[in-house]
């Protein structure tokens, strides 16, 4: 009996470790809309990563950004029901990267990390993104195998057409929805090598070896109908605090903390339906999905089971 229990424990451990190898990947950037962008989140802040080589776009949202108020009728679309909003887009403009080869866009659902990789003008580029529940920030890291490879600009495109405020190496937007809900979102840019400078509504970077982007957001929403669901407090206070604390950590520390936290939830469950063939696992996700209709692909089925758990952890966790 003890031997059987030991074998079960070993099997669970092995399959949980193997889960970190599961990932969606594509040979082209995401089209406009929500269907192809890769989702990342920590239960409060979310991002959709589009992965265009020459103009990265990450659509940012926050779970309480909502135009509603009290809804006495309790009816869908009743008075005060409101609509969910997105904050807008974080844009990283890299015009020299339009011509590229060996493109790959991927989401590792075992680590909750998305990556974009390609070669342009003889340089291998890599971007990596995740949303840390520990630090309450979205983190992006842009690296290359050669120095001084990054020249471009960063901007925030607010979905409510508000004007951004730029100070040093940060861009921030502070606003109020039609129902009076206050919101704030902000990006901090850090660079290795080269220069950063503010130019109008954007941050320009020139000849950088690497870049780290730290994004956070918040609102004054409070679950209290007596206060009409608004605390009245300035959400920028928390946003600045989250970014400030995260910026004191190196990228490797932020990433390690994120992985440890995410694995504590994701690695609790796995499923083993068998092993896919080498031909199946070599296909990008869009092509593999088509082939799986005709031929059973066990790892692919497992991945979609885990994708449901990934989305639940990334979009709705509270602790």
């Amino acid at each position: 009996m003890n031997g059987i229990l030991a074998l079960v424990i070993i099997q669970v451990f092995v399959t949980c470790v193997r889960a970190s190898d599961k990932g969606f990947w594509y040979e082209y950037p995401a089209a406009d809309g929500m269907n192809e962008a890769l989702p990342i989140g920590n239960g409060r802040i979310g991002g959709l990563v589009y992965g265009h080589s020459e103009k990265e776009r990450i659509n940012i949202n926050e779970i309480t950004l909502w135009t509603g108020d009290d809804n006495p009728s309790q009816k869908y679309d009743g008075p005060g029901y409101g609509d969910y909003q997105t904050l807008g887009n974080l844009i990283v403009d890299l015009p020299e990267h339009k011509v590229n080869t060996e493109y790959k866009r991927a989401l590792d659902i075992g680590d909750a990390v998305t990556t974009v990789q390609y070669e342009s003008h003889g340089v291998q580029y890599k971007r990596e993104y995740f949303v840390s529940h520990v630090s309450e920030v979205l983190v992006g890291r842009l690296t290359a195998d050669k120095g001084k490879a990054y020249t471009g600009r960063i901007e925030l495109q607010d979905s409510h057409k508000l004007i951004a405020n730029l100070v040093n190496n940060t861009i921030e937007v502070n606003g109020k929805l039609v129902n009076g809900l206050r919101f704030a979102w902000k990006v901090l840019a850090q660079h290795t090598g080269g220069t950063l400078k503010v130019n109008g509504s954007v941050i320009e970077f020139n000849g950088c070896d690497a870049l780290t982007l730290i994004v956070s957001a918040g609102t004054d929403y409070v679950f209290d109908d007596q206060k009409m669901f608004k605390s009245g407090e300035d959400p920028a206070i928390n946003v600045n605090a989250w970014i400030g604390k995260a910026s004191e950590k190196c990228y490797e520390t932020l990433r390690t903390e994120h992985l440890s936290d995410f694995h504590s939830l994701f690695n609790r469950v796995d499923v083993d339906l068998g092993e896919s063939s080498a031909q199946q696992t070599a296909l990008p996700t869009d092509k593999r999905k088509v082939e799986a209709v005709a031929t059973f692909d066990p790892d692919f089925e497992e991945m979609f089971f885990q994708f449901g758990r990934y989305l639940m952890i990334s979009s709705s966790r509270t602790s």
Side-chain angles (χ1 to χ4, degrees):
M1 185 68 177
N2 289 338
I4 294 174
L5 179 60
L7 288 173
V8 170
I9 293 173
I10 291 171
Q11 177 63 21
V12 170
F13 175 77
V14 170
T15 55
C16 285
V17 171
R18 191 167 66 87
S20 66
D21 296 329
K22 291 185 170 67
F24 296 80
W25 66 279
Y26 304 87
E27 297 174 307
Y28 52 85
D32 288 341
M34 299 176 60
N35 292 341
E36 295 183 8
L38 297 176
I40 52 176
N42 68 354
R44 191 181 66 81
I45 300 170
L48 290 173
V49 181
Y50 287 77
H52 289 267
S53 59
E54 75 278 14
K55 194 168 187 176
E56 179 64 278
R57 171 189 171 196
I58 306 175
N59 186 258
I60 308 292
N61 61 9
E62 201 275 351
I63 196 169
T64 62
L65 194 68
W66 167 67
T67 62
D69 281 305
D70 192 20
N71 181 18
S73 70
Q74 300 295 307
K75 294 181 180 179
Y76 184 82
D77 285 339
Y81 188 84
D83 297 301
Y84 181 69
Q85 309 283 289
T86 64
L87 288 161
N89 295 310
L90 167 64
I91 301 293
V92 182
D93 198 9
L94 298 162
E96 296 179 0
H97 296 198
K98 186 172 184 178
V99 177
N100 63 83
T101 58
E102 301 178 25
Y103 180 92
K104 183 178 181 180
R105 176 173 61 100
L107 171 65
D108 185 330
I109 61 173
D111 287 344
V113 174
T114 185
T115 56
V116 180
Q117 299 178 77
Y118 55 89
E119 180 179 315
S120 182
H121 303 293
V123 180
Q124 294 284 342
Y125 291 94
K126 181 178 181 180
R127 306 174 199 161
E128 192 169 63
Y129 307 99
F130 60 86
V131 187
S132 169
H133 181 76
V134 177
S135 296
E136 292 288 4
V137 293
L138 182 152
V139 183
R141 178 71 171 169
L142 287 71
T143 58
D145 69 347
K146 296 181 181 179
K148 301 180 180 180
Y150 280 101
T151 295
R153 64 182 193 173
I154 303 162
E155 63 178 308
L156 293 185
Q157 296 178 344
D158 185 76
S159 63
H160 303 91
K161 311 302 182 185
L162 296 176
I163 303 299
N165 181 39
L166 287 79
V167 179
N168 297 325
N169 56 344
T170 66
I171 310 175
E172 62 182 4
V173 176
N174 299 284
K176 187 180 292 187
L177 298 182
V178 294
N179 63 346
L181 186 77
R182 300 176 68 179
F183 67 90
W185 62 305
K186 182 176 184 177
V187 58
L188 165 70
Q190 299 174 321
H191 66 109
T192 303
T195 61
L196 283 180
K197 69 174 183 179
V198 171
N199 185 0
S201 62
V202 303
I203 293 176
E204 294 182 342
F205 52 91
N206 185 54
C208 295
D209 302 331
L211 294 164
T212 300
L213 306 177
I214 302 176
V215 184
S216 196
T219 76
D220 72 337
Y221 176 87
V222 61
F223 189 58
D224 186 343
D225 60 353
Q226 298 300 311
K227 295 182 178 181
M228 297 300 291
F229 303 103
K230 293 174 280 292
S231 70
E233 299 175 357
D234 185 358
I237 295 174
N238 283 333
V239 170
N240 290 333
W242 289 323
I243 289 181
K245 290 179 181 178
S247 68
E248 295 173 357
K249 303 174 183 179
C250 68
Y251 175 76
E252 290 73 19
T253 297
L254 290 168
R255 190 180 191 279
T256 299
E257 289 178 344
H258 160 70
L259 293 179
S260 178
D261 172 71
F262 184 78
H263 289 166
S264 70
L265 297 176
F266 188 83
N267 286 1
R268 293 176 180 179
V269 177
D270 206 347
V271 59
D272 188 350
L273 302 177
E275 186 173 350
S276 299
S277 69
Q279 291 81 4
Q280 288 173 317
T281 59
L283 292 173
T285 301
D286 55 323
K287 296 178 181 179
R288 190 173 177 183
K289 180 178 69 173
V290 174
E291 295 297 323
V293 174
T295 304
F296 179 60
D297 187 339
D299 285 343
F300 197 64
E301 299 293 338
E302 294 169 16
M303 186 168 67
F304 270 91
F305 168 81
Q306 292 289 17
F307 186 50
R309 298 185 59 244
Y310 167 82
L311 291 175
M312 184 69 73
I313 296 168
S314 300
S315 67
S316 65
R317 64 181 292 189
T318 58
S319 62

